[in-house]
Amino acid sequence: MRQNQFVNQVLAWQANHGRHDLPWQQPATPYRVLVSEIMLQQTQVTTVIPYFERWMSSFPTLQSLAAATEDQVMAHWQGLGYYSRARNLLKAARHLIEHSAGEFPDDLKELQEIPGVGRYTAGAIRSFAFDQYGPIVDGNVRRLFCRLFGIEGVPGTSVVDKELWRLAEELTPKEHNRRFAQGLLDLGATLCTPRNPNCTSCPLQADCVAFREQRQNELPHKKATKTIPRREAHFVLHLQADKPVRIRLLKRPPSGIWASLWCLPELDEAPTQGELVTEFTHTFSHFKMHGQVWLTQDSTLCLNEDSATQYVALEQLADFGLPAPFRALLPSLMQEI
DNA sequence: AAATCGTGGAG
DNA sequence: TCTCCAAGATT
């Protein structure tokens, strides 16, 4: 399949059937594109939209973001997951202001020097913000290419990824890059879906290896699933007696799970004195947490120099970035007691 | 190269 | 309930 033909089919389909009303498409300024692309990493569009709106309302410009505190940023990101993205976005704003007076580079290599911006995101910024040549390989493109060209290996391995990027660089046109990149993503998201793709409506059907061989559901090949381990976790619920009731929160360290979020103090083992108030299970990508929450009078648990601690009332809770299970748990817990 | 890093949508 | 996986980056 010739490059020209491929590009034209993607562009023509995009014009009629693609998505044109996503919040970050109007207007597609470099800052808005950066924020949306970071939020969209491993995260579905419908999940991102309300976060994007809230973010833009609070941090409308790169300058306003650079002036924000880490806690403000984390509070806006709470519930979205992969929290290093939030810290990197703050670093990115300060990086751009320091290195180029707030101006975005339009060069692929320089874009990848921005914290949190890798090869995909650099290409996306080039395409969406500058309408320039910017190859992209994300989950959508990976699936589309593996089927269209009948790529047999498992994506994620270096051989297959190298081939996917080679194809992306080769097939990406020199003009109409915004529409082309959007078309690729829209094709993957709406037609060339993981299960039961809508090949009948696909403009590339005639050239698709997977369709010809009726292997749409086999490609791309999936990597072997591994069972995730289960970890025990213990959390301290320490209340300040006076009204209004306040609970002690501890800021988690800058690395590891839930980095930089505020959380109930975590212990290695169950406290010797304490009442089990509630427990929960929470599944991450790579382990399952069984958490137990212990009510205690001991205010000295988990006290150390490097982590900030604060007593927080129910009304202030929204200002703190909390892990998802505690965002669900704490309000009712504080009202009952 | 393989692990780590979250949460929720959708079947 | 279980599984797959989403506009990936970083170490």
Side-chain angles (χ1 to χ4, degrees), chain A residues 208-220:
Chain A
C208 182
V209 171
F211 179 79
R212 189 182 313 141
E213 302 175 356
Q214 286 300 294
R215 296 198 299 146
Q216 301 94 313
N217 286 319
E218 290 174 35
L219 296 174

Side-chain angles (χ1 to χ4, degrees), chain A residues 26-329:
Chain A
Q26 37 170 321
T29 65
Y31 174 61
R32 291 165 60 86
V33 170
L34 172 68
V35 172
S36 64
E37 288 302 335
I38 301 293
M39 286 187 171
L40 285 161
Q41 289 169 4
Q42 300 292 285
T43 311
Q44 293 184 190
V45 167
T46 55
T47 303
V48 164
I49 288 177
Y51 282 88
F52 180 80
E53 303 285 17
R54 252 178 283 135
W55 185 279
M56 282 306 159
S57 166
S58 296
F59 313 119
T61 63
L62 190 74
Q63 285 70 21
S64 63
L65 174 57
T69 67
E70 181 181 90
D71 284 335
Q72 285 179 305
V73 164
M74 299 312 288
H76 280 76
W77 206 272
Q78 65 173 323
L80 201 51
Y82 286 158
Y83 296 97
S84 66
R85 294 183 293 172
R87 291 191 312 278
N88 280 335
L89 199 41
L90 179 56
K91 283 184 201 163
R94 294 175 177 172
H95 168 97
L96 287 169
I97 285 176
E98 182 179 344
H99 287 75
S100 50
E103 290 297 303
F104 276 73
D106 66 351
D107 174 81
L108 275 176
K109 203 173 101 187
E110 288 180 54
L111 282 169
Q112 288 186 73
E113 290 169 10
I114 300 173
V117 175
R119 192 172 180 182
Y120 162 79
T121 305
I125 294 174
R126 279 270 294 186
S127 297
F128 293 126
F130 297 106
D131 200 16
Q132 292 176 6
Y133 177 84
I136 53 172
V137 176
D138 75 324
N140 294 300
V141 176
R142 190 157 51 234
R143 199 165 52 246
L144 184 78
F145 283 2
C146 281
R147 286 172 174 160
L148 182 59
F149 301 108
I151 297 172
E152 298 293 346
V154 176
T157 62
S158 56
V159 184
V160 173
D161 286 354
K162 193 176 171 187
E163 172 68 0
L164 289 169
W165 277 103
R166 189 190 67 73
L167 284 165
E169 290 178 342
E170 186 178 302
L171 292 170
T172 299
K174 302 292 183 192
E175 52 185 358
H176 309 307
N177 287 94
R178 179 178 291 138
R179 288 164 45 203
F180 176 76
Q182 192 62 55
L184 281 184
L185 300 183
D186 292 347
L187 274 171
T190 64
L191 294 185
C192 199
T193 50
R195 281 168 301 191
N196 306 319
N198 186 358
C199 302
T200 309
S201 307
C202 183
L204 306 171
Q205 186 200 89
D207 304 293
C208 182
V209 171
F211 179 79
R212 189 182 313 141
E213 302 175 356
Q214 286 300 294
R215 296 198 299 146
Q216 301 94 313
N217 286 319
E218 290 174 35
L219 296 174
H221 290 298
K222 296 151 182 60
K223 50 185 158 188
T225 58
K226 55 182 80 172
T227 58
I228 60 177
R230 166 183 159 132
R231 296 183 199 168
E232 302 299 325
H234 303 277
F235 298 95
V236 171
L237 183 63
H238 183 247
L239 299 162
Q240 200 176 53
D242 322 343
K243 293 185 292 184
V245 177
R246 294 167 185 271
I247 54 165
R248 184 154 88 101
L249 295 181
L250 200 65
K251 184 156 174 166
R252 295 178 66 89
S255 66
I257 202 72
W258 294 335
S260 307
L261 292 181
W262 291 80
C263 187
L264 297 187
E266 184 178 354
L267 299 165
D268 293 330
E269 301 175 337
T272 51
Q273 52 195 34
E275 172 199 349
L276 181 58
V277 177
T278 186
E279 43 193 330
F280 63 89
T281 61
H282 186 72
T283 306
F284 297 89
S285 48
H286 51 300
F287 69 94
K288 180 176 291 191
M289 171 185 285
H290 174 231
Q292 298 187 316
V293 180
W294 300 88
L295 182 64
T296 177
Q297 314 292 344
D298 189 350
S299 61
T300 66
L301 291 170
C302 302
L303 274 186
N304 65 71
E305 305 296 321
D306 356 289
S307 35
T309 183
Q310 233 175 297
Y311 284 84
V312 179
L314 185 59
E315 296 73 39
Q316 308 170 267
L317 224 46
D319 296 333
F320 291 78
L322 298 174
F326 293 106
R327 196 164 45 109
L329 227 52

